[in-house]
Amino acid sequence: MKKAGDAAKKTRKPVKAKKAVKAKTVKAKTVTTKKAVAAKKTTSAKKTVKAKKTVNRIPIKTVDLKIASHKGLFDEGCYGSQCQDECCGWGCDIDLATIKLITKHRDKVEALTGAKIEDCFKTPLKQDNDYIGGAYRETAVRKSDKLCCFHLKGSKGCSLFYLWIKEKLPKRIVPTICRTYPVTWHRGKLFADLPLKKNCKAKEKTPKGVKVASLFETQKKELKALFDIPKKEWKKLEDANKAK
Ligand code: SF4
Ligand code: SF4
C-alpha cells in the first residue's frame, strides 16, 4: 500500500513552520472577531464563513523533477510486488475529508480492521491547510503486526483501498498520501519520498535495457486529482518525463 509516514513526519517536522501557521490562524480569527463586533451585522458573519475556504486540492508551487525520472509503481504496483506493505508501518496522516467518510462507513471499516475507529488514531484533529478539508489526524500503528491500524487484519492490503475497489465506496475514503505515495508534499513542494523502503516496487530491479513507467506516469492521475499544480510546473514534469 501507499502511504506517508517518515515522509510525512519528515516533511511535517518543521515545528516552527507549524507554529507560524497556527499563529496566522489565531491572528486571522482575532481580526474577524473584531470586524464582526464593529460591524454588528450578519453580513460580517457571512464574510467570516466565506473567508474559511475549504481546501479541496492541495496547492503546490514547485515540483521535484525526480518524480519524472524515478521508477514508479509499475505493472501491478504495490499489489504485484514482494513488498508486504512496508510503508504502512509508519501509519499515515488522514485528511479531514477522508476522516468524515471513514466515520460515515465505520461499520464496514471496523469489520475489516477489527478495531474501533477511535482506536485507529493517535492524535486529535489538527487544523492545517496543507490537507484536504483543512485538517488531519495521524493514524496509530498496531502492536500485533506493526502496521497502520487501517491495514487489513491478517492479509496484505489496506481496508480503505479495499472498500474503494471492492465495495465501490468513494475513492476519497483513501487518504491523499496513500493515493500518491511515494510522491509526497510539504507546504507547496511536491517530491518523491526518497530513499524508499527496501522492498518498494519503485525500487525493484528490472532487466537491463527494460524501461518501466516513472513515478510521474504511475501516479499522474492521482496527482492531477489531488493537487493544484501550476501549468508551468506540470509542463516541467512532462518534459522531464519525455527526456528520461
Ligand atoms: S511497494 Fe512501496 S509504496 Fe507500495 S506498499 Fe510497498 S513500500 Fe509502500
Ligand atoms: S491508510 Fe491504508 S494505505 Fe494508508 S498507511 Fe494506513 S493501511 Fe497503509
Side-chain angles (χ1 to χ4, degrees):
M1 248 37 4
K2 317 159 204 177
K3 62 113 324 301
D6 257 0
K9 305 285 177 309
K10 226 194 290 157
T11 47
R12 273 138 217 169
K13 224 180 203 169
V15 179
K16 267 190 184 164
K18 258 193 185 175
K19 274 188 184 158
V21 171
K22 240 185 175 173
K24 251 195 230 163
T25 322
V26 174
K27 229 180 172 182
K29 268 187 193 157
T30 326
V31 174
T32 22
T33 317
K34 273 185 192 163
K35 267 191 193 164
V37 172
K40 280 186 189 166
K41 290 269 181 215
T42 357
T43 37
S44 54
K46 271 184 195 164
K47 267 184 198 167
T48 317
V49 174
K50 231 181 174 180
K52 280 188 181 175
K53 222 176 132 193
T54 319
V55 185
N56 292 321
R57 285 199 304 159
I58 301 159
I60 295 297
K61 287 189 198 121
T62 57
V63 297
D64 180 350
L65 296 185
K66 279 199 193 94
I67 295 171
S69 60
H70 199 285
K71 221 180 275 179
L73 299 176
F74 58 99
D75 294 342
E76 288 180 331
C78 309
Y79 290 100
S81 78
Q82 295 294 312
C83 175
Q84 291 301 310
D85 303 342
E86 289 178 20
C87 61
C88 295
W90 284 313
C92 68
D93 298 342
I94 303 196
D95 331 62
L96 181 57
T98 297
I99 294 172
K100 284 183 184 166
L101 264 178
I102 291 175
T103 311
K104 187 176 167 191
H105 298 284
R106 61 183 309 140
D107 292 353
K108 290 184 172 175
V109 179
E110 289 175 353
L112 293 168
T113 60
K116 290 267 170 222
I117 297 292
E118 290 72 22
D119 297 334
C120 291
F121 291 100
K122 71 170 183 189
T123 59
L125 194 69
K126 288 182 200 160
Q127 302 297 318
D128 193 330
N129 278 343
D130 214 17
Y131 293 86
I132 292 173
Y136 75 101
R137 294 184 77 179
E138 287 174 44
T139 67
V141 171
R142 257 190 322 240
K143 277 190 187 141
S144 56
D145 55 10
K146 297 192 172 47
L147 290 168
C148 169
C149 284
F150 287 100
H151 196 274
L152 287 172
K153 210 153 186 203
S155 68
K156 189 167 163 168
C158 164
S159 65
L160 306 176
F161 270 94
Y162 180 93
L163 289 172
W164 161 54
I165 296 166
K166 300 278 182 194
E167 301 216 9
K168 311 287 175 223
L169 292 191
K171 199 174 187 179
R172 187 71 97 198
I173 199 160
V174 179
T176 303
I177 184 64
C178 308
R179 286 170 63 176
T180 63
Y181 199 77
V183 176
T184 187
W185 77 97
H186 183 63
R187 310 271 179 243
K189 186 165 185 191
L190 194 72
F191 55 97
D193 183 27
L194 305 176
L196 299 172
K197 284 282 192 186
K198 194 172 150 230
N199 291 313
C200 183
K201 180 78 182 175
K203 233 178 153 179
E204 203 171 283
K205 279 197 180 132
T206 43
K208 221 178 166 189
V210 171
K211 267 198 174 184
V212 295
S214 68
L215 273 176
F216 176 63
E217 288 167 295
T218 60
Q219 313 307 82
K220 195 174 182 176
K221 198 173 154 203
E222 301 306 315
L223 298 181
K224 260 198 171 163
L226 298 163
F227 296 98
D228 189 3
I229 305 174
K231 278 186 186 156
K232 206 174 96 197
E233 294 301 299
W234 189 260
K235 181 149 189 328
K236 275 189 204 169
L237 281 172
E238 284 185 324
D239 289 347
N241 191 62
K242 273 184 211 151
K244 78 171 167 42

